[in-house]
Amino acid sequence: MKNRIVSGMRPTGKLHIGHYLGVIQNWVELQKKYESFFFVADWHALTTKYDKTETLKQDTIDVVIDWLASGLDPELSAIYVQSLVPEIAELNIYLGMVTPQNWVERDPTLKDMAKVLRGKTEIPDNAVCSPQAAANCHFRDDILVSYGLMGYPVLMSADIMMFNASAVPVGSDQVAHIEITRDIARRFNNIYKTDFFVEPLPLLNDCALICGLDGCKMGKSFENDIKISDTQEVTAKKIMSAITDKSRIRRDDPGHPEQCQVAFKYWEIFGAPEQIETIKSECKQGLRGCADCKRQLGAVINEKFAPIREKRRYYEQHPDEVREILAAGTARARAEAQKVLSEVKNIIGMY
Ligand code: TRP
């Protein structure tokens, strides 16, 4: 039997190429090796955006379409929406009962999140790296840290433990959450004298993070991203705005690829190895202008995403098919969740 993995993403709407390179591409590989459950974390979205729900449904569909277009295969993976699996909410209740209050209070991700949301702290160093980007990013200062937000780590544990998954593909920012999940699983097992729950491990994906067009962390709210769904024209135009080696003024000035903060970094991700060497040497000798270089880069990126975008258009034009995929994924997830839940209730001693 294959080991199980679970992972989720918030419904942030159309995804950018950073999501593709950092998360989805990895999922697409993992689904071949693991029994996989991938879901849109719409309850998690409500923990901070409970009053911003107008676009929630469309954002959810957009995320799923980007996943499918990028190669998540509904034959291999259960693809579902969190709130359509009510068993997760029920497990959340049982896990909440055994989780000490101070475990959720000390969750470092949550602490940062609450502070940032309240606008009471500097934006963390790793969130953005330039004042302009920070200025573009409007954190709300009227946010309420709700009971639901405090419960985030328990809910996330329920997402994972619902399928008794042994590994969770996440970024390093989520590792603290997986630690809490392990703690909760262990505590549950101790209290009820069972070995039912597996202690899941984070499955870190150490790919290079792609920065935004301005050299800051790529993010929707920073307006420095390239969407998977962007057209070729929009992509090409956005790439032309990417920053390059600022010390270069004339076309034939010798360039410094190492200091070319965005364009050359993108080449390193999207270019073929020989191509990268040629670009490096031409740039250093002043034989390659930044505008031409970025035009070529835009074409390479467009070529890479062309099949994904084509598939994306297909799903956009066939929304019923997307809904069917979600319904099937949800049914599959629920069937597994019901098995786990009935075992959990039995272990605790519920009716
Ligand atoms: N907290 C994750 C994020 O913000 C999303 C998430 C929710 C998740 N539940 C999960 C990821 C369970 C992995 C497993 O990115």
Side-chain angles (χ1 to χ4, degrees), residues 11-196:
T12 49
K14 291 179 175 142
L15 301 175
H16 54 63
I17 63 173
H19 293 119
Y20 175 81
L21 295 167
V23 184
I24 311 172
Q25 219 179 13
N26 189 35
W27 289 4
V28 169
E29 284 311 305
L30 292 171
Q31 69 180 346
K32 299 172 192 159
K33 279 192 284 182
Y34 294 89
E35 190 189 356
S36 306
F37 294 82
F38 297 117
F39 68 98
V40 183
D42 57 349
W43 279 331
H44 289 273
L46 288 187
T47 61
T48 53
K49 297 195 174 170
Y50 48 84
D51 58 348
K52 292 258 181 303
T53 50
E54 316 80 42
T55 60
L56 190 56
K57 278 187 188 159
Q58 188 56 46
D59 288 346
T60 300
I61 291 295
D62 280 333
V63 166
V64 172
I65 291 180
D66 279 328
W67 289 354
L68 295 170
S70 303
L72 270 203
D73 179 351
E75 296 293 320
L76 294 174
S77 305
I79 300 171
Y80 58 99
V81 177
Q82 183 186 31
S83 64
L84 294 177
V85 184
E87 289 78 10
I88 297 169
E90 197 172 334
L91 181 60
N92 181 51
I93 290 188
Y94 294 120
L95 299 184
M97 300 303 168
V98 302
T99 305
Q101 185 181 338
N102 64 354
W103 287 12
V104 294
E105 281 170 354
R106 74 171 188 226
D107 179 282
T109 316
L110 194 71
K111 271 194 197 159
D112 285 351
M113 192 153 71
K115 277 198 238 152
V116 171
L117 287 167
R118 284 189 178 124
K120 290 216 173 112
T121 186
E122 297 288 294
I123 293 152
D125 291 346
N126 63 352
V128 283
C129 46
S130 95
Q132 308 99 279
N136 283 337
C137 174
H138 300 290
F139 286 108
R140 298 172 53 187
D141 55 10
D142 60 337
I143 195 87
L144 172 84
V145 176
S146 65
Y147 171 62
L149 179 59
M150 282 313 291
Y152 195 109
V154 180
L155 182 58
M156 183 154 161
S157 300
D159 294 330
I160 299 164
M161 292 165 67
M162 189 79 262
F163 303 98
N164 224 344
S166 55
V168 189
V170 282
S172 54
D173 60 319
Q174 297 291 317
V175 170
H177 284 140
I178 313 296
E179 284 302 325
I180 293 190
T181 305
R182 294 169 59 78
D183 289 342
I184 294 176
R186 192 176 319 125
R187 188 165 155 86
F188 182 99
N189 288 348
N190 278 333
I191 289 171
Y192 299 110
K193 309 209 168 16
T194 178
D195 57 5
F196 179 69

